[in-house]
Amino acid sequence: MKTEIVYDEKEIERRIEALGERISSDYAGEPLVCVCVLKGAFMFFAELVKHIRGEVYIDFIRLCSYDGARSSGEVKLHNDLSISVADKNVLIVEDIVDSGRTLEFLRTHFDSKGARSVKVACLLDRPKNREVMQEVDYKCFTLETSAFLVGYGLDYDQLFRNRADIAEVKFE
Ligand code: IMP
Ligand code: MG
């Protein structure tokens, strides 16, 4: 399958470090629960939490909403958190916010568990594909096109997640 690099590893890491700095100062002195949305966010999450200072709890949640390059439009919960978020500040860490459905589901989920605040950090934001209103609080890159991207955790049919860069899949 043909791919073309969009962001290289150095650029990605620079952006993530800057995001970590902002998050650290925004939550200064307050504990934060960082939630990794599996599987796509695993690499971004690992890099990001290294740059967040302070009292950080980490946990994982597993959802599914995508089948290949096509959204099924439905979000399901596979594995829930293992720690309580009641009265805690939650930072949802996502690979890409596209239609916004995953985020809408997660916000509702954490609100219902009594989180004190819920914010979102994503590696990629693609506002032009939004189907439901969802704003992101922290992001590394904003996408202007609908190109399908892989790498740095993002997959196409479960492949390419291990790539250290982000690339566009050239379907033709
Ligand atoms: P949303 O619910 O439509 O916002 O989609 C969120 C999920 O769709 C992301 O967490 C990704 O797993 C997947 N996704 C959306 N666009 C892409 C892409 O370009 N490449 C790989 N996965 C994608
Ligand atoms: Mg995802």
Side-chain angles (χ1 to χ4, degrees):
M1 180 162 286
K2 265 180 68 187
T3 58
E4 202 175 280
I5 297 177
V6 179
Y7 304 113
D8 67 26
E9 185 177 12
K10 284 257 151 53
E11 166 95 20
I12 297 168
E13 289 183 348
R14 261 200 307 274
R15 297 285 184 115
I16 298 177
E17 184 174 355
L19 215 61
E21 288 298 326
R22 273 183 58 205
I23 294 168
S24 301
S25 62
D26 288 357
Y27 288 94
E30 288 197 54
L32 180 63
V33 183
C34 295
V35 177
C36 176
V37 185
L38 294 170
K39 301 177 188 173
F42 84 97
M43 203 177 279
F44 172 47
F45 184 80
E47 189 61 28
L48 181 65
V49 295
K50 287 195 267 179
H51 300 287
I52 304 179
R53 293 180 304 274
E55 208 177 319
V56 172
Y57 297 86
I58 69 166
D59 209 344
F60 302 86
I61 196 164
R62 177 133 181 234
L63 304 171
C64 96
S65 74
Y66 252 71
D67 182 15
R70 193 172 43 89
S71 172
S72 64
E74 194 191 349
V75 182
K76 290 186 197 141
L77 185 63
H78 274 234
N79 288 98
D80 206 349
L81 301 183
S82 65
I83 61 179
S84 166
V85 296
D87 206 30
K88 298 215 178 73
N89 296 311
V90 173
L91 182 69
I92 299 170
V93 182
E94 257 282 36
D95 52 358
I96 176 167
V97 179
D98 199 44
S99 71
R101 292 196 187 282
T102 305
L103 208 49
E104 180 184 52
F105 175 92
L106 287 172
R107 281 193 199 274
T108 308
H109 186 67
F110 295 130
D111 283 344
S112 77
K113 285 173 176 275
R116 179 189 306 182
S117 72
V118 181
K119 285 194 180 184
V120 182
C122 63
L123 181 59
L124 302 160
D125 182 20
R126 184 153 46 201
K128 73 189 291 271
N129 280 7
R130 279 302 192 287
E131 290 166 18
V132 292
M133 249 290 286
Q134 283 295 329
E135 296 287 338
V136 301
D137 304 281
Y138 305 100
K139 59 178 153 184
C140 291
F141 303 100
T142 304
L143 303 174
E144 313 290 347
T145 74
S146 293
F148 194 82
L149 303 181
V150 293
Y152 219 85
L154 288 97
D155 74 306
Y156 173 63
D157 270 348
Q158 301 302 327
L159 282 175
F160 307 110
R161 293 193 195 276
N162 60 316
R163 278 183 77 135
D165 54 15
I166 296 174
E168 176 180 347
V169 175
K170 295 290 185 187
F171 300 101
E172 62 224 10

